Short mmCIF file of all heavy atoms in Angstrom, two decimals:
data_model
loop_
_atom_site.label_atom_id
_atom_site.label_comp_id
_atom_site.label_asym_id
_atom_site.label_seq_id
_atom_site.Cartn_x
_atom_site.Cartn_y
_atom_site.Cartn_z
N THR A 149 315.83 -113.69 -150.14
CA THR A 149 315.62 -114.73 -149.21
C THR A 149 316.74 -114.74 -148.14
O THR A 149 317.90 -114.54 -148.50
CB THR A 149 315.54 -116.12 -149.89
OG1 THR A 149 314.48 -116.10 -150.84
CG2 THR A 149 315.26 -117.20 -148.87
N MET A 150 316.36 -114.96 -146.89
CA MET A 150 317.30 -115.06 -145.82
C MET A 150 317.23 -116.50 -145.30
O MET A 150 316.15 -117.14 -145.30
CB MET A 150 316.96 -114.08 -144.71
CG MET A 150 317.88 -114.14 -143.51
SD MET A 150 317.52 -112.79 -142.31
CE MET A 150 315.84 -113.26 -141.78
N TYR A 151 318.34 -117.00 -144.76
CA TYR A 151 318.41 -118.33 -144.29
C TYR A 151 318.99 -118.44 -142.88
O TYR A 151 319.72 -117.59 -142.44
CB TYR A 151 319.30 -119.22 -145.22
CG TYR A 151 318.90 -119.14 -146.68
CD1 TYR A 151 319.53 -118.27 -147.55
CD2 TYR A 151 317.90 -120.01 -147.17
CE1 TYR A 151 319.16 -118.21 -148.87
CE2 TYR A 151 317.57 -119.95 -148.51
CZ TYR A 151 318.18 -119.06 -149.34
OH TYR A 151 317.85 -119.00 -150.66
N LEU A 152 318.60 -119.52 -142.20
CA LEU A 152 319.18 -119.83 -140.92
C LEU A 152 319.56 -121.30 -140.95
O LEU A 152 318.67 -122.17 -140.90
CB LEU A 152 318.23 -119.54 -139.77
CG LEU A 152 318.76 -119.85 -138.36
CD1 LEU A 152 319.98 -118.97 -138.06
CD2 LEU A 152 317.69 -119.65 -137.31
N GLN A 153 320.85 -121.60 -141.04
CA GLN A 153 321.32 -122.97 -140.96
C GLN A 153 321.50 -123.33 -139.51
O GLN A 153 322.28 -122.67 -138.81
CB GLN A 153 322.64 -123.12 -141.73
CG GLN A 153 323.23 -124.54 -141.73
CD GLN A 153 322.36 -125.51 -142.46
OE1 GLN A 153 321.90 -125.25 -143.56
NE2 GLN A 153 322.10 -126.65 -141.80
N MET A 154 320.86 -124.39 -139.07
CA MET A 154 320.88 -124.77 -137.67
C MET A 154 321.48 -126.19 -137.58
O MET A 154 320.88 -127.15 -138.05
CB MET A 154 319.45 -124.77 -137.10
CG MET A 154 318.70 -123.44 -137.37
SD MET A 154 316.92 -123.61 -137.06
CE MET A 154 316.92 -123.80 -135.29
N ASN A 155 322.65 -126.26 -136.97
CA ASN A 155 323.34 -127.52 -136.80
C ASN A 155 323.45 -127.88 -135.34
O ASN A 155 323.34 -127.03 -134.48
CB ASN A 155 324.73 -127.48 -137.44
CG ASN A 155 324.71 -127.25 -138.91
OD1 ASN A 155 323.82 -127.70 -139.63
ND2 ASN A 155 325.72 -126.57 -139.41
N SER A 156 323.73 -129.17 -135.03
CA SER A 156 323.90 -129.62 -133.67
C SER A 156 322.75 -129.15 -132.77
O SER A 156 322.95 -128.64 -131.68
CB SER A 156 325.25 -129.14 -133.10
OG SER A 156 326.31 -129.60 -133.92
N LEU A 157 321.54 -129.36 -133.26
CA LEU A 157 320.36 -128.86 -132.54
C LEU A 157 320.21 -129.54 -131.20
O LEU A 157 320.50 -130.74 -131.02
CB LEU A 157 319.11 -129.07 -133.39
CG LEU A 157 318.96 -128.06 -134.52
CD1 LEU A 157 317.96 -128.56 -135.54
CD2 LEU A 157 318.50 -126.71 -133.97
N LYS A 158 319.73 -128.75 -130.23
CA LYS A 158 319.52 -129.23 -128.85
C LYS A 158 318.03 -129.04 -128.51
O LYS A 158 317.36 -128.22 -129.06
CB LYS A 158 320.38 -128.38 -127.89
CG LYS A 158 321.86 -128.39 -128.17
CD LYS A 158 322.61 -127.49 -127.22
CE LYS A 158 324.10 -127.48 -127.53
NZ LYS A 158 324.84 -126.56 -126.59
N PRO A 159 317.55 -129.83 -127.55
CA PRO A 159 316.13 -129.68 -127.13
C PRO A 159 315.79 -128.25 -126.73
O PRO A 159 314.68 -127.78 -126.98
CB PRO A 159 316.03 -130.63 -125.93
CG PRO A 159 317.02 -131.69 -126.25
CD PRO A 159 318.20 -130.97 -126.87
N GLU A 160 316.71 -127.52 -126.16
CA GLU A 160 316.51 -126.13 -125.73
C GLU A 160 316.33 -125.17 -126.91
O GLU A 160 315.98 -124.02 -126.71
CB GLU A 160 317.57 -125.60 -124.78
CG GLU A 160 318.98 -125.86 -125.25
CD GLU A 160 319.59 -127.11 -124.67
OE1 GLU A 160 318.93 -128.15 -124.66
OE2 GLU A 160 320.78 -127.06 -124.23
N ASP A 161 316.60 -125.66 -128.13
CA ASP A 161 316.38 -124.83 -129.33
C ASP A 161 314.93 -124.89 -129.77
O ASP A 161 314.52 -124.16 -130.67
CB ASP A 161 317.25 -125.32 -130.49
CG ASP A 161 318.75 -125.09 -130.22
OD1 ASP A 161 319.11 -124.02 -129.68
OD2 ASP A 161 319.54 -125.99 -130.59
N THR A 162 314.13 -125.75 -129.15
CA THR A 162 312.74 -125.86 -129.51
C THR A 162 312.00 -124.53 -129.27
O THR A 162 312.04 -123.98 -128.17
CB THR A 162 312.06 -126.96 -128.68
OG1 THR A 162 312.66 -128.23 -128.98
CG2 THR A 162 310.58 -127.03 -128.96
N ALA A 163 311.39 -124.00 -130.32
CA ALA A 163 310.71 -122.73 -130.24
C ALA A 163 310.04 -122.40 -131.56
O ALA A 163 310.25 -123.13 -132.56
CB ALA A 163 311.72 -121.62 -129.89
N MET A 164 309.25 -121.39 -131.57
CA MET A 164 308.74 -120.82 -132.80
C MET A 164 309.76 -119.80 -133.30
O MET A 164 310.20 -118.94 -132.54
CB MET A 164 307.39 -120.13 -132.58
CG MET A 164 306.74 -119.63 -133.88
SD MET A 164 306.13 -120.95 -134.93
CE MET A 164 304.67 -121.44 -133.99
N TYR A 165 310.20 -119.93 -134.51
CA TYR A 165 311.20 -119.08 -135.11
C TYR A 165 310.58 -118.08 -136.07
O TYR A 165 309.79 -118.44 -136.93
CB TYR A 165 312.27 -119.90 -135.81
CG TYR A 165 313.25 -120.59 -134.85
CD1 TYR A 165 312.83 -121.66 -134.11
CD2 TYR A 165 314.55 -120.15 -134.72
CE1 TYR A 165 313.70 -122.29 -133.22
CE2 TYR A 165 315.42 -120.75 -133.85
CZ TYR A 165 315.01 -121.81 -133.10
OH TYR A 165 315.86 -122.41 -132.22
N TYR A 166 310.95 -116.81 -135.91
CA TYR A 166 310.41 -115.72 -136.71
C TYR A 166 311.55 -115.01 -137.44
O TYR A 166 312.60 -114.76 -136.83
CB TYR A 166 309.67 -114.70 -135.84
CG TYR A 166 308.51 -115.28 -135.03
CD1 TYR A 166 308.76 -115.78 -133.77
CD2 TYR A 166 307.23 -115.25 -135.54
CE1 TYR A 166 307.71 -116.29 -133.03
CE2 TYR A 166 306.19 -115.79 -134.78
CZ TYR A 166 306.44 -116.28 -133.55
OH TYR A 166 305.39 -116.76 -132.80
N CYS A 167 311.32 -114.60 -138.67
CA CYS A 167 312.27 -113.71 -139.33
C CYS A 167 311.70 -112.31 -139.31
O CYS A 167 310.47 -112.11 -139.21
CB CYS A 167 312.54 -114.17 -140.77
SG CYS A 167 311.16 -114.16 -141.90
N ALA A 168 312.59 -111.31 -139.39
CA ALA A 168 312.18 -109.94 -139.29
C ALA A 168 313.15 -109.07 -140.11
O ALA A 168 314.31 -109.41 -140.33
CB ALA A 168 312.21 -109.44 -137.84
N ALA A 169 312.64 -107.93 -140.57
CA ALA A 169 313.41 -107.01 -141.37
C ALA A 169 313.00 -105.58 -141.09
O ALA A 169 311.86 -105.31 -140.75
CB ALA A 169 313.28 -107.31 -142.87
N GLY A 170 313.93 -104.66 -141.21
CA GLY A 170 313.61 -103.24 -141.01
C GLY A 170 314.79 -102.37 -141.32
O GLY A 170 315.68 -102.74 -142.08
N PHE A 171 314.78 -101.20 -140.71
CA PHE A 171 315.87 -100.21 -140.92
C PHE A 171 316.52 -99.87 -139.59
O PHE A 171 315.90 -99.90 -138.53
CB PHE A 171 315.32 -98.92 -141.56
CG PHE A 171 314.78 -99.09 -142.95
CD1 PHE A 171 313.44 -99.18 -143.21
CD2 PHE A 171 315.68 -99.15 -144.04
CE1 PHE A 171 312.96 -99.31 -144.49
CE2 PHE A 171 315.23 -99.32 -145.33
CZ PHE A 171 313.84 -99.40 -145.55
N LEU A 172 317.78 -99.45 -139.67
CA LEU A 172 318.48 -99.01 -138.52
C LEU A 172 317.83 -97.69 -138.00
O LEU A 172 317.48 -96.84 -138.74
CB LEU A 172 319.95 -98.75 -138.81
CG LEU A 172 320.84 -99.93 -139.02
CD1 LEU A 172 322.22 -99.50 -139.43
CD2 LEU A 172 320.90 -100.81 -137.78
N SER A 173 317.71 -97.61 -136.66
CA SER A 173 317.20 -96.41 -136.05
C SER A 173 318.29 -95.37 -135.95
O SER A 173 319.37 -95.61 -135.45
CB SER A 173 316.66 -96.71 -134.62
OG SER A 173 316.23 -95.54 -134.00
N PRO A 174 318.01 -94.13 -136.48
CA PRO A 174 319.01 -93.06 -136.39
C PRO A 174 319.43 -92.80 -134.93
O PRO A 174 318.55 -92.69 -134.07
CB PRO A 174 318.32 -91.84 -137.01
CG PRO A 174 317.28 -92.42 -137.90
CD PRO A 174 316.81 -93.67 -137.18
N GLY A 175 320.67 -92.64 -134.73
CA GLY A 175 321.18 -92.34 -133.38
C GLY A 175 321.51 -93.55 -132.55
O GLY A 175 322.64 -93.69 -132.07
N SER A 176 320.51 -94.42 -132.37
CA SER A 176 320.73 -95.59 -131.55
C SER A 176 321.55 -96.69 -132.23
O SER A 176 322.27 -97.42 -131.55
CB SER A 176 319.38 -96.15 -131.09
OG SER A 176 318.68 -96.74 -132.17
N GLY A 177 321.41 -96.76 -133.54
CA GLY A 177 322.13 -97.77 -134.28
C GLY A 177 321.50 -99.14 -134.20
O GLY A 177 322.09 -100.11 -134.68
N THR A 178 320.34 -99.24 -133.57
CA THR A 178 319.62 -100.53 -133.46
C THR A 178 318.59 -100.63 -134.56
O THR A 178 318.11 -99.63 -135.09
CB THR A 178 318.96 -100.64 -132.08
OG1 THR A 178 318.00 -99.58 -131.93
CG2 THR A 178 319.99 -100.58 -130.98
#
């Protein structure tokens, strides 16, 4: 499980939030 603790929330934080997982790309490091 991964978590996102969100404090001092602002109206501009309003959005749909998505989690994602994968592997580092060889060479690019992304």
